């Protein structure tokens, strides 16, 4: 049985005109619309299938057959080298007049973020092509593409402003932009480019002496004098559509959100305030005003590692909850930035070690916050005092697979008298429980402990005489969907690591990847650099130095 790609992102859609309770689930580059009530797949975007997926699914559980061009001029088929590093392509000379072989189809970009506005507009981000897409959704659940906008840098965080008419997006270079949710007539243009010419080389024969550098100087002069290469296109680093730059960080941006704080009438404040809260790799959390983001209200301190996620709650929505590269949760006051409470997530009774586990997500649910750690099959329910920000950890929820994402869904019962709030948890079906590198074996997939795509939980509080822990019940709401659902096959291979210290597989780099943000100390960096230089490298350096001397 082949491994199926899990859902890396979930997004619940709630609209009065919809006939069903819908859940958007992103698996790699595809977005599936799921009917929660009936347990069916309503639509899939994009509808076409990539060439790589067709090759992967062509044979049930067997590697694709290698083919070669025949001598009688029949069309050749290149062997798929994705499953084996030893695969080769057999080529012959092209006959004059014969068409060139078409270039291989590039893989579709993976979906990294999915959010929804109250009017039903869907916003997605695909990081590989730096594209922000907006969709409309029909009453039957089909997605319709509205606009595509290419950012100059790879986006890594997205949110909506309080009025939900603008998209707030941040990129990995620390810049935060505001884009209109509905661009209207502002159709994205071809990327603006500017022309520039090669300048004269600053070096000369009097400053360059080695044979290699003299040859490089010669090539630079030829490039400058050439008529076909004197002009080179260079990308402009500004978006070519309607947008405004709000603020910037000097470090890699990791998370952002918008907080709409109501006025504090009891303290004599009658002003309704909005803030944009951003975080970066250098443990900084900044609270800025909206619509004047250049006015910094305060900074939130206390984390000793990179920030991973942010969330806002409380009675007056003035409590900021943040997670970092350490297994801890901090609460701060908005807008003063004052540290309210710190909670360290301790290992559970099964002995799972969380020493280096980053916080992967924080979600609000019925007055609780649910916290997930990267690569762990646990979900931590935490009680929070909405006034003081004090936290109290409850017994963790054990799940059959690693937690990837969580969505809070509203499910109407059969009586249609009240609406139940449920927790939909996306689980990693491709890796072993508690691992981001090892593949889930066939014995795990075929056993009665198979990992479902989505696990639905319902909260039931224990009697007052107990220890006060909250009891979560596993529901069979999506069992039929999990059994019949097929995304696409994936091959989970370990990432290339010379010392074997890489904690991710190739798929795990996309599903998780937060450990790549962790900074190394000077001694660790020096040790890694020393291990990368072997005896052969020293020999090459010595030979090159000897040739320069002679």
């Amino acid at each position: 049985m082949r491994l199926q790609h899990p859902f890396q992102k979930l997004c619940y859609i709630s609209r009065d005109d919809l006939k069903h309770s819908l859940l958007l689930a992103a698996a790699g580059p595809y977005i599936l619309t799921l009917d929660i009530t009936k347990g069916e797949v309503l639509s899939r975007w994009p509808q076409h299938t990539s060439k790589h997926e067709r090759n992967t699914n062509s044979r049930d559980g067997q590697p694709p057959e290698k083919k070669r061009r025949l001598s009688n001029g029949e069309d050749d088929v290149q062997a798929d080298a994705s499953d084996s590093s030893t695969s080769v392509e057999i080529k012959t000379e092209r006959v004059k007049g014969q068409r060139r072989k078409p270039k291989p189809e590039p893989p579709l970009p993976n979906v990294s973020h999915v959010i929804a506005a109250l009017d039903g507009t869907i916003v997605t981000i695909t990081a590989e092509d730096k594209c922000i897409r907006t969709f409309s959704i029909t009453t039957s659940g089909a997605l319709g593409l509205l606009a595509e906008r290419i950012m100059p840098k790879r986006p890594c965080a997205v949110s909506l402003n309080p009025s939900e008419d603008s998209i707030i997006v941040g990129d990995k270079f620390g810049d935060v932009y505001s884009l209109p949710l509905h661009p209207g007539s502002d159709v994205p243009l071809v990327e603006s480019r500017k022309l520039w010419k090669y300048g004269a080389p600053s070096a000369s024969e009097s400053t360059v002496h080695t044979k290699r550098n003299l040859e490089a100087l010669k090539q630079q002069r030829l490039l400058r004098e050439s008529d076909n290469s004197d002009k080179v296109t260079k990308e402009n680093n500004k978006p070519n559509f309607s947008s405004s730059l709000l603020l910037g960080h000097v470090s890699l941006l990791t998370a952002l959100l918008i907080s709409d704080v109501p006025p504090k009438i009891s303290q004599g404040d009658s002003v309704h305030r909005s803030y944009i809260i951003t975080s970066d790799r250098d443990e900084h959390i900044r609270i800025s005003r909206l619509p004047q983001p250049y006015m910094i209200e305060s900074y939130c301190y206390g984390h000793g590692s990179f920030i991973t996620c942010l969330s806002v709650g409380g009675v007056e929505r003035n409590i900021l909850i943040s997670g970092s590269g350490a297994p801890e949760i901090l609460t701060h006051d908005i807008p003063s930035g004052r540290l309210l409470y710190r909670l360290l997530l301790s290992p559970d009774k099964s002995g799972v070690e969380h020493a280096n586990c980053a916080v992967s997500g924080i979600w609000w649910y019925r007055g609780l916050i649910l916290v997930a750690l990267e690569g762990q099959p646990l979900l931590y329910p935490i009680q929070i005092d909405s006034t003081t920000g004090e936290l109290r950890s409850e017994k963790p929820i054990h799940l059959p697979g690693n937690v990837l994402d969580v969505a809070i869904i509203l499910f109407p019962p059969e009586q249609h008298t009240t609406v139940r709030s449920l927790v939909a948890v996306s689980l990693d079906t491709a890796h072993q429980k508690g691992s981001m590198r090892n593949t889930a074996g066939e014995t795990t997939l075929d056993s009665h402990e198979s990992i479902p795509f989505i696990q639905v939980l319902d909260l039931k509080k224990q009697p007052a005489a107990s220890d006060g822990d909250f009891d979560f019940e596993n529901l069979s709401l999506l069992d039929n969907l999990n059994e019949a659902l097929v995304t696409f096959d994936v091959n989970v291979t370990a990432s290339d690591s010379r010392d074997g210290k890489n904690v991710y597989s190739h798929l795990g780099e996309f599903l998780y990847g937060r450990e790549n943000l962790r900074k190394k100390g000077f001694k660790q960096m020096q040790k890694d650099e020393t291990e990368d230089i072997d005896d052969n490298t020293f020999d090459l350096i010595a030979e090159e130095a000897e040739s320069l001397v002679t």
Side-chain angles (χ1 to χ4, degrees):
M1 181 177 181
R2 298 292 293 248
L3 297 174
Q4 293 291 305
H5 196 292
F7 295 123
Q8 70 268 14
K9 288 296 177 181
L10 299 178
C11 181
Y12 176 71
I13 305 297
S14 176
R15 232 172 60 190
D16 296 336
D17 58 339
L18 292 177
K19 300 178 181 179
H20 314 277
S21 297
L22 302 183
L23 181 67
L24 296 182
Y30 302 102
I31 304 175
L32 279 66
T33 306
L34 309 179
D35 183 355
I36 303 174
T37 307
K38 298 181 179 180
E40 300 176 352
V41 179
L42 300 179
S43 67
R44 164 174 161 165
W45 189 94
Q47 296 182 357
H48 69 275
T49 306
S50 65
K51 182 177 179 180
H52 179 269
E53 183 182 344
R54 291 194 298 268
N55 292 339
T56 306
N57 296 334
S58 58
R59 304 178 66 188
D60 186 14
Q62 299 294 330
E65 182 181 359
K66 300 176 184 178
K67 299 181 181 180
R68 68 179 66 189
R69 175 184 294 179
L70 302 179
S71 58
N72 57 3
E74 296 181 6
D75 294 337
D76 66 328
V77 180
Q78 182 179 355
D80 189 352
S82 59
D83 295 335
S84 175
S85 60
T86 60
S87 300
V88 295
E89 179 185 2
I90 302 177
K91 296 182 178 180
T92 59
E93 293 184 1
R94 184 168 59 92
V95 181
K96 185 177 180 180
Q98 183 182 3
R99 292 184 178 181
R100 291 183 179 273
K101 184 179 178 180
K103 295 182 179 180
E105 179 184 354
L108 296 174
N110 293 315
V111 178
S112 60
H113 296 78
V114 180
I115 61 174
L118 292 178
D119 64 353
T121 304
I122 313 300
V123 181
T124 66
I125 287 181
T126 51
E128 286 89 348
D129 59 353
K130 310 174 188 178
C131 186
I132 300 177
R133 294 177 174 87
T134 53
F135 298 87
S136 63
I137 185 168
T138 64
T139 55
S140 60
L143 295 179
L145 182 62
L146 298 177
E148 292 181 325
R149 283 166 279 188
I150 306 296
M151 298 297 294
K153 303 296 181 183
R154 179 174 293 192
C156 60
V158 66
S159 182
L160 297 174
N161 67 336
S163 59
E164 294 195 350
D165 57 1
S166 297
I167 305 172
I168 312 297
V169 60
D171 58 35
K172 287 196 172 184
F173 275 66
D175 295 331
V176 179
Y177 294 89
S178 175
L179 319 175
L181 180 62
H182 301 286
S185 60
D186 182 17
V187 180
L189 306 174
V190 179
E191 291 190 17
S192 58
R193 299 177 181 269
K194 57 184 180 181
L195 298 178
W196 63 288
K197 294 184 178 181
Y198 282 105
S202 58
S204 63
E205 286 80 357
S206 60
T207 59
V208 173
H209 305 285
T210 63
K211 182 179 180 180
R212 181 182 302 176
N213 291 341
L214 288 172
E215 181 64 24
L217 178 61
K218 179 181 177 181
Q219 295 297 329
Q220 291 178 11
R221 289 176 174 173
L222 291 176
L223 188 61
R224 172 175 167 77
E225 296 172 359
S226 174
D227 293 333
N228 338 346
S229 306
D230 59 342
K231 293 183 179 181
V232 180
T233 60
K234 186 176 181 180
E235 293 185 7
N236 194 346
N237 288 333
K238 295 182 180 180
N240 56 358
F241 44 81
S242 177
S243 64
S244 59
L245 178 64
L246 299 181
L247 55 88
H249 281 246
V250 295
S251 180
L252 190 150
L253 193 77
T254 57
L256 72 86
L257 60 81
I258 307 299
S259 174
D260 199 21
V261 180
K264 298 181 180 180
I265 307 298
S266 60
Q267 300 180 9
D269 186 7
S270 59
V271 180
H272 196 101
R273 302 183 185 277
S274 297
Y275 301 97
I276 177 172
I277 306 174
T278 53
S279 64
D280 59 29
R281 186 186 181 186
D282 292 336
E283 304 95 34
H284 299 148
I285 301 178
R286 182 196 301 177
I287 302 178
S288 307
R289 293 185 182 181
L290 276 181
Q292 301 90 13
Y294 51 83
M295 300 182 65
I296 300 176
E297 190 72 25
S298 61
Y299 286 92
C300 301
Y301 299 103
H303 284 290
S305 184
F306 57 93
I307 314 299
T308 57
C309 50
L310 302 171
S311 183
V312 171
V315 177
E316 299 178 344
R317 294 190 59 81
N318 63 332
I319 296 179
L320 172 66
I321 304 99
S322 57
S324 66
E328 62 178 5
I329 300 295
L330 272 65
T331 57
H332 293 84
D333 176 69
I334 302 174
S336 66
R338 178 172 54 92
L339 178 62
L340 300 177
Y341 200 83
R342 181 194 303 267
L343 176 65
L344 181 65
L345 301 178
S346 58
D348 67 318
K349 296 180 180 180
S350 63
V352 179
E353 183 62 39
H354 301 307
N356 293 322
C357 292
V359 178
S360 60
I362 302 174
W363 304 271
W364 284 84
Y365 176 67
R366 295 190 189 179
L368 300 172
I369 58 174
L370 304 177
V371 179
L373 299 179
E374 186 181 52
Q376 295 298 325
L378 301 172
L379 200 60
Y380 287 85
I382 299 175
Q383 294 193 56
I384 179 171
D385 191 319
S386 300
T387 305
T388 63
E390 183 179 352
L391 303 173
R392 192 185 76 175
S393 180
E394 302 291 340
K395 180 177 63 175
I397 306 169
H398 293 263
L399 297 167
N402 302 337
V403 177
L404 294 180
D405 197 15
V406 171
I408 308 303
I409 62 177
L410 301 178
F411 183 73
E414 297 178 357
Q415 297 82 359
H416 294 281
T417 55
T418 58
V419 177
R420 288 191 297 171
S421 178
L422 306 177
V423 181
V425 185
S426 175
L427 303 178
D428 187 357
T429 59
H431 294 90
Q432 292 181 7
K433 188 176 179 180
S435 174
M436 298 174 287
R437 179 181 175 88
N438 299 328
T439 305
E442 294 184 0
T443 56
T444 304
L445 294 175
D446 296 337
S447 66
H448 64 280
E449 296 181 354
S450 60
I451 303 175
F453 285 98
I454 302 174
Q455 179 71 57
V456 181
L457 305 175
D458 189 14
L459 173 62
K460 291 187 176 181
K461 191 172 182 179
Q462 293 182 354
S466 66
D467 57 0
D469 288 336
F470 288 87
D471 182 27
F472 282 81
E473 177 186 7
N474 293 331
L475 301 182
S476 58
L477 183 62
L478 299 180
D479 284 358
N480 295 333
L481 179 64
N482 285 322
E483 293 178 1
L485 190 59
V486 175
T487 55
F488 60 93
D489 296 343
V490 292
N491 295 321
V492 182
T493 56
S495 297
D496 297 332
S497 179
R498 189 169 177 270
D499 54 4
K501 295 180 181 179
N502 199 336
V503 297
Y504 300 120
S505 65
H506 286 294
L507 178 61
E509 289 278 356
F510 166 65
L511 296 178
Y512 305 101
R514 292 175 182 84
E515 283 297 322
N516 296 330
L517 298 174
R518 194 177 303 278
K519 296 180 180 179
K520 296 181 179 180
F522 177 76
K523 293 183 178 180
Q524 181 64 32
M525 293 176 62
Q526 198 174 30
K527 180 180 178 182
D528 294 345
E529 291 177 358
T530 304
E531 292 178 352
D532 290 339
I533 301 178
D534 54 7
D535 295 337
N536 295 331
T537 307
F538 280 117
D539 294 340
L540 293 175
I541 295 175
E543 292 177 2
E544 185 175 356
E546 184 178 357
S547 62
L548 292 176
V549 172
T550 56

